């Protein structure tokens, strides 16, 4: 035997740790094994502990994005009782001296991200793009000898034109 092979055989071999290898199950002598089995049997690891279910959050009432006065509710009910009932959708467009103007249109159903406000059995839709300009506003129906229209009292308005048709909001 050469000196190199003697040193190699004399060097201590690292022993595998018991924690590094899977457990080996040695069958009892009376347990028959299938003749095609060539590897030792290993025990299955225990299942992991079940996850603790978190309690579902409670839903709290939120303030509506838009409030309606009794006259506005009455007028919307009249519009909904027409032969072809439709919902009113409120939006904001770039228009006028101050920059923004309210835009109302009839729709059959809300768009994907629109906000639906329901008050006293009447639904109003707020365009998702206009929500931050309208939030916290009050919608009122005004009727006199010369005109009839929906008016808005918006706490977010910082400036408005002289005729009252357009406005600017805080940014």
């Amino acid at each position: 035997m050469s000196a190199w092979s003697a040193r190699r055989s004399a060097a201590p071999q690292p022993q595998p740790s018991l924690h590094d290898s899977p457990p080996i199950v040695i069958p009892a002598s009376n347990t028959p094994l299938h003749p095609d089995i060539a590897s030792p049997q290993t025990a299955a690891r225990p299942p992991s502990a079940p996850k603790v279910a978190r309690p579902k959050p409670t839903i709290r009432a939120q303030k509506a994005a838009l409030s309606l006065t009794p006259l506005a509710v009455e007028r919307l009910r009249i519009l909904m009782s027409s032969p072809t009932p439709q919902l009113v959708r409120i939006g904001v467009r770039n228009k006028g001296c101050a920059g923004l103007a309210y835009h109302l249109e009839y729709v059959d159903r809300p768009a994907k991200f629109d906000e639906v406000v329901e008050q006293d059995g009447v639904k109003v839709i707020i365009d998702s793009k206009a929500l931050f300009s309208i939030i916290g506003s009050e919608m009122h129906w005004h009727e006199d000898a010369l005109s009839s229209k929906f008016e808005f009292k918006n706490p977010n308005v910082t400036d408005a034109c002289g005729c009252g048709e357009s406005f600017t909001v805080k940014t």
Side-chain angles (χ1 to χ4, degrees):
M1 185 185 301
S2 70
W4 182 78
S5 61
R7 268 188 271 147
R8 186 168 185 231
S9 63
Q13 297 293 327
Q15 296 295 323
S17 170
L18 290 177
H19 300 294
D20 295 338
S21 63
I24 298 175
V25 177
I26 301 173
S29 60
N30 58 358
T31 305
L33 289 179
H34 194 273
D36 292 338
I37 295 177
S39 64
Q41 301 292 312
T42 59
R45 298 203 185 272
S48 60
K51 292 184 179 180
V52 178
R54 293 185 345 196
K56 291 186 178 182
T58 57
I59 298 174
R60 288 179 263 147
Q62 296 177 333
K63 186 176 179 182
L66 176 76
S67 61
L68 306 169
T69 63
L71 288 174
V73 170
E74 180 182 329
R75 182 61 185 174
L76 289 168
R77 278 200 183 119
I78 292 170
L79 291 173
M80 289 300 296
S81 65
S82 68
T84 57
Q86 293 181 324
L87 298 170
V88 174
R89 183 177 187 201
I90 304 168
V92 174
R93 299 249 169 109
N94 291 331
K95 184 177 173 184
C97 314
L100 298 173
Y102 296 105
H103 176 74
L104 281 77
E105 62 183 341
Y106 293 113
V107 294
D108 295 327
R109 60 183 174 280
K112 186 175 183 179
F113 296 109
D114 287 350
E115 182 78 18
V116 178
V117 175
E118 186 170 356
Q119 180 180 328
D120 299 328
V122 175
K123 289 183 183 180
V124 176
I125 300 169
I126 301 175
D127 184 8
S128 60
K129 297 173 189 165
L131 186 60
F132 291 111
S133 301
I134 294 177
I135 198 155
S137 297
E138 179 183 64
M139 184 176 175
H140 177 69
W141 175 253
H142 176 77
E143 193 169 343
D144 59 20
L146 297 175
S147 67
S148 57
K149 62 181 179 177
F150 285 108
E151 294 179 339
F152 296 89
K153 291 181 184 173
N154 191 338
N156 304 315
V157 171
T158 57
D159 190 23
C161 69
C163 65
E165 290 295 321
S166 61
F167 62 95
T168 305
V169 293
K170 302 175 212 175
T171 55

